[in-house]
Amino acid sequence: MGYQLTPDPKIDQLFKKGVKLPSPFTIDIGEEVDIDRISGKGVRIYPGCRIYGEKTVISSGVQLGAEGPVTLENCQLGPGVELKGGYFKNSVFLEKSSMGSGAHVREACLLEEQASGAHCVGLKHTILFPFVTLGSLINFCDCLMAGGTSRKDHSEVGSSFIHFNFTPDGDKATPSLIGDVPRGVMLNKPPIFLGGQGGLVGPLWVNFGNVTAAGAILRKDIEMENCLIVGRRHSPKILHRIPKAYPNLSKIVENNVRYIGNLIALEQWYRHVRKLFFREQEYGTLIWEAVLDNLQRAKKERFQRLKEMANKVAEAIDLTAPKGPEHQKAKQEFFEKGKDLEGLLDAEATHRAGEEERDTFLDGLLKQKREHGDHYLKVIQGLPTKISSVGTAWLDAIVLNTCLKAKRGLPALRLFKGIGET
């Protein structure tokens, strides 16, 4: 028998690969973990860390637990990722993304390159585009945030910010879109700043370049760009409340559909664009496949939450309600058709929308890639405007297709006024 450095053969394998383990006897590695998916190049695992899950991937230069123990379960970590302390499950972290101590990152999160969070940040079903920065003491579940052009020009969320994603009626059909996918992926839009001790009451859409003042609670979409939004305090009052009334049903459904359309667009971006760059990266194919799995989970979550809300809407259908018969008709329609939205929206025709623009964009992208190397951020940042605008048109077509299908499939809700009308 060969000499064992520790009682755990998996720990010995990590030592032999060159992983730095300052206190190996304090580390727990699950029996299911595939050591071949852990790089030996510059990886450091600090005392008290626990690594579980057969799908876990740890790339070169990863640092785990520098500020406190890390529990990692079925996560995929790109090169240079730093998770300084906390719990991380079923999420993907791309190159040089990071989270501070006390983090709680659960299912279907994606942090793209150099996205980061400080200490005590809670995420679930959250997507952060490159460079997006979260402060401390933040709850930011069910969001997609884009904006910014570089590490020095990035979208940011101030400390003690909350995305309110759970309603008094128990709904979580509340995803908020901060920026969007068609413009956000091009890394050429102005950043968004959400001031500290503030919040968003989902589901909302906030456009690029907007700034919310500290303490502001947003309850309405901000469709214009480059605005300063100052919160308005509500005077104390007691109002009559009708459970499950859904007076803003159309807007809730509209923002959910818009969010789903952006998820579908992001999925196509990964299938046709990001795949070209993951090929050259250590464990790149595994990480790329994990991103696609998480985007599928994200879509399933949104459709499931809409189904649950549709069932609750049925409980409040009342033709004598103050909003009138048209609103009740919309509720009835949503109850009957809301459960079938996945088949309507996430269809092959939606995935193929904008194919001509896609092919033109890919030709320009490949030329840029040949001339400027294989680093994703540098290639995208260097795209000429005429090329990036074609790429945006491709992804916009996917989002528009999703919105139009919902508009036509749910006519009583009168969704997306002005879109698809001549």
PDB file of all heavy atoms in Angstrom, residues 11 22-28 45-50:
ATOM      1  N   ILE A  11      -8.560  13.873  -0.358  1.00  0.00           N
ATOM      2  CA  ILE A  11      -7.680  14.964   0.060  1.00  0.00           C
ATOM      3  C   ILE A  11      -6.267  14.699  -0.440  1.00  0.00           C
ATOM      4  O   ILE A  11      -5.573  15.607  -0.931  1.00  0.00           O
ATOM      5  CB  ILE A  11      -7.700  15.119   1.593  1.00  0.00           C
ATOM      6  CG1 ILE A  11      -9.107  15.487   2.090  1.00  0.00           C
ATOM      7  CG2 ILE A  11      -6.691  16.177   2.029  1.00  0.00           C
ATOM      8  CD1 ILE A  11      -9.600  16.836   1.678  1.00  0.00           C
ATOM      9  N   PRO A  22      -4.107  24.482   3.501  1.00  0.00           N
ATOM     10  CA  PRO A  22      -3.397  24.830   4.733  1.00  0.00           C
ATOM     11  C   PRO A  22      -3.760  23.963   5.933  1.00  0.00           C
ATOM     12  O   PRO A  22      -2.943  23.755   6.822  1.00  0.00           O
ATOM     13  CB  PRO A  22      -3.808  26.293   4.973  1.00  0.00           C
ATOM     14  CG  PRO A  22      -4.242  26.793   3.645  1.00  0.00           C
ATOM     15  CD  PRO A  22      -4.835  25.629   2.948  1.00  0.00           C
ATOM     16  N   SER A  23      -5.011  23.474   5.969  1.00  0.00           N
ATOM     17  CA  SER A  23      -5.438  22.647   7.105  1.00  0.00           C
ATOM     18  C   SER A  23      -6.303  21.503   6.579  1.00  0.00           C
ATOM     19  O   SER A  23      -7.534  21.517   6.712  1.00  0.00           O
ATOM     20  CB  SER A  23      -6.219  23.498   8.117  1.00  0.00           C
ATOM     21  OG  SER A  23      -6.536  22.748   9.263  1.00  0.00           O
ATOM     22  N   PRO A  24      -5.688  20.487   5.972  1.00  0.00           N
ATOM     23  CA  PRO A  24      -6.443  19.463   5.252  1.00  0.00           C
ATOM     24  C   PRO A  24      -7.386  18.652   6.125  1.00  0.00           C
ATOM     25  O   PRO A  24      -8.425  18.175   5.642  1.00  0.00           O
ATOM     26  CB  PRO A  24      -5.337  18.571   4.670  1.00  0.00           C
ATOM     27  CG  PRO A  24      -4.142  18.817   5.524  1.00  0.00           C
ATOM     28  CD  PRO A  24      -4.233  20.262   5.925  1.00  0.00           C
ATOM     29  N   PHE A  25      -7.079  18.496   7.420  1.00  0.00           N
ATOM     30  CA  PHE A  25      -7.921  17.662   8.279  1.00  0.00           C
ATOM     31  C   PHE A  25      -9.261  18.335   8.595  1.00  0.00           C
ATOM     32  O   PHE A  25     -10.159  17.702   9.146  1.00  0.00           O
ATOM     33  CB  PHE A  25      -7.183  17.326   9.573  1.00  0.00           C
ATOM     34  CG  PHE A  25      -6.044  16.360   9.367  1.00  0.00           C
ATOM     35  CD1 PHE A  25      -4.760  16.821   9.162  1.00  0.00           C
ATOM     36  CD2 PHE A  25      -6.278  14.995   9.355  1.00  0.00           C
ATOM     37  CE1 PHE A  25      -3.710  15.933   8.963  1.00  0.00           C
ATOM     38  CE2 PHE A  25      -5.237  14.099   9.158  1.00  0.00           C
ATOM     39  CZ  PHE A  25      -3.947  14.568   8.954  1.00  0.00           C
ATOM     40  N   THR A  26      -9.413  19.631   8.267  1.00  0.00           N
ATOM     41  CA  THR A  26     -10.679  20.335   8.529  1.00  0.00           C
ATOM     42  C   THR A  26     -11.581  20.368   7.300  1.00  0.00           C
ATOM     43  O   THR A  26     -12.675  20.932   7.352  1.00  0.00           O
ATOM     44  CB  THR A  26     -10.406  21.779   8.982  1.00  0.00           C
ATOM     45  OG1 THR A  26      -9.874  22.536   7.880  1.00  0.00           O
ATOM     46  CG2 THR A  26      -9.440  21.817  10.147  1.00  0.00           C
ATOM     47  N   ILE A  27     -11.148  19.805   6.197  1.00  0.00           N
ATOM     48  CA  ILE A  27     -11.893  19.880   4.939  1.00  0.00           C
ATOM     49  C   ILE A  27     -12.647  18.582   4.699  1.00  0.00           C
ATOM     50  O   ILE A  27     -12.112  17.489   4.914  1.00  0.00           O
ATOM     51  CB  ILE A  27     -10.936  20.174   3.771  1.00  0.00           C
ATOM     52  CG1 ILE A  27     -10.309  21.561   3.961  1.00  0.00           C
ATOM     53  CG2 ILE A  27     -11.669  20.108   2.430  1.00  0.00           C
ATOM     54  CD1 ILE A  27      -9.200  21.860   2.990  1.00  0.00           C
ATOM     55  N   ASP A  28     -13.917  18.713   4.258  1.00  0.00           N
ATOM     56  CA  ASP A  28     -14.746  17.544   3.972  1.00  0.00           C
ATOM     57  C   ASP A  28     -15.049  17.510   2.483  1.00  0.00           C
ATOM     58  O   ASP A  28     -15.587  18.477   1.927  1.00  0.00           O
ATOM     59  CB  ASP A  28     -16.044  17.610   4.780  1.00  0.00           C
ATOM     60  CG  ASP A  28     -16.880  16.348   4.628  1.00  0.00           C
ATOM     61  OD1 ASP A  28     -16.281  15.276   4.389  1.00  0.00           O
ATOM     62  OD2 ASP A  28     -18.113  16.435   4.752  1.00  0.00           O
ATOM     63  N   ILE A  45      -7.787  26.009  -0.900  1.00  0.00           N
ATOM     64  CA  ILE A  45      -8.989  25.729  -0.118  1.00  0.00           C
ATOM     65  C   ILE A  45      -8.635  25.907   1.350  1.00  0.00           C
ATOM     66  O   ILE A  45      -7.858  25.136   1.915  1.00  0.00           O
ATOM     67  CB  ILE A  45      -9.508  24.310  -0.396  1.00  0.00           C
ATOM     68  CG1 ILE A  45      -9.776  24.131  -1.901  1.00  0.00           C
ATOM     69  CG2 ILE A  45     -10.785  24.050   0.399  1.00  0.00           C
ATOM     70  CD1 ILE A  45     -10.189  22.728  -2.287  1.00  0.00           C
ATOM     71  N   TYR A  46      -9.220  26.916   1.969  1.00  0.00           N
ATOM     72  CA  TYR A  46      -8.894  27.274   3.344  1.00  0.00           C
ATOM     73  C   TYR A  46      -9.602  26.356   4.339  1.00  0.00           C
ATOM     74  O   TYR A  46     -10.506  25.599   3.969  1.00  0.00           O
ATOM     75  CB  TYR A  46      -9.264  28.730   3.598  1.00  0.00           C
ATOM     76  CG  TYR A  46      -8.353  29.729   2.923  1.00  0.00           C
ATOM     77  CD1 TYR A  46      -8.586  30.133   1.614  1.00  0.00           C
ATOM     78  CD2 TYR A  46      -7.256  30.264   3.600  1.00  0.00           C
ATOM     79  CE1 TYR A  46      -7.750  31.057   0.983  1.00  0.00           C
ATOM     80  CE2 TYR A  46      -6.410  31.191   2.979  1.00  0.00           C
ATOM     81  CZ  TYR A  46      -6.660  31.572   1.679  1.00  0.00           C
ATOM     82  OH  TYR A  46      -5.825  32.472   1.060  1.00  0.00           O
ATOM     83  N   PRO A  47      -9.225  26.424   5.618  1.00  0.00           N
ATOM     84  CA  PRO A  47      -9.789  25.523   6.625  1.00  0.00           C
ATOM     85  C   PRO A  47     -11.309  25.599   6.732  1.00  0.00           C
ATOM     86  O   PRO A  47     -11.913  26.664   6.568  1.00  0.00           O
ATOM     87  CB  PRO A  47      -9.126  25.997   7.934  1.00  0.00           C
ATOM     88  CG  PRO A  47      -7.838  26.610   7.491  1.00  0.00           C
ATOM     89  CD  PRO A  47      -8.143  27.260   6.176  1.00  0.00           C
ATOM     90  N   GLY A  48     -11.908  24.459   7.017  1.00  0.00           N
ATOM     91  CA  GLY A  48     -13.336  24.391   7.318  1.00  0.00           C
ATOM     92  C   GLY A  48     -14.247  24.283   6.123  1.00  0.00           C
ATOM     93  O   GLY A  48     -15.471  24.266   6.284  1.00  0.00           O
ATOM     94  N   CYS A  49     -13.699  24.173   4.919  1.00  0.00           N
ATOM     95  CA  CYS A  49     -14.545  24.131   3.722  1.00  0.00           C
ATOM     96  C   CYS A  49     -15.110  22.733   3.496  1.00  0.00           C
ATOM     97  O   CYS A  49     -14.510  21.721   3.857  1.00  0.00           O
ATOM     98  CB  CYS A  49     -13.752  24.565   2.495  1.00  0.00           C
ATOM     99  SG  CYS A  49     -13.346  26.328   2.499  1.00  0.00           S
ATOM    100  N   ARG A  50     -16.310  22.692   2.866  1.00  0.00           N
ATOM    101  CA  ARG A  50     -16.981  21.438   2.544  1.00  0.00           C
ATOM    102  C   ARG A  50     -17.372  21.474   1.075  1.00  0.00           C
ATOM    103  O   ARG A  50     -17.988  22.440   0.612  1.00  0.00           O
ATOM    104  CB  ARG A  50     -18.216  21.253   3.425  1.00  0.00           C
ATOM    105  CG  ARG A  50     -17.877  21.061   4.898  1.00  0.00           C
ATOM    106  CD  ARG A  50     -19.115  21.030   5.770  1.00  0.00           C
ATOM    107  NE  ARG A  50     -19.663  22.368   5.972  1.00  0.00           N
ATOM    108  CZ  ARG A  50     -20.729  22.620   6.716  1.00  0.00           C
ATOM    109  NH1 ARG A  50     -21.378  21.633   7.313  1.00  0.00           N
ATOM    110  NH2 ARG A  50     -21.149  23.849   6.873  1.00  0.00           N
TER     111      ARG A  50
END
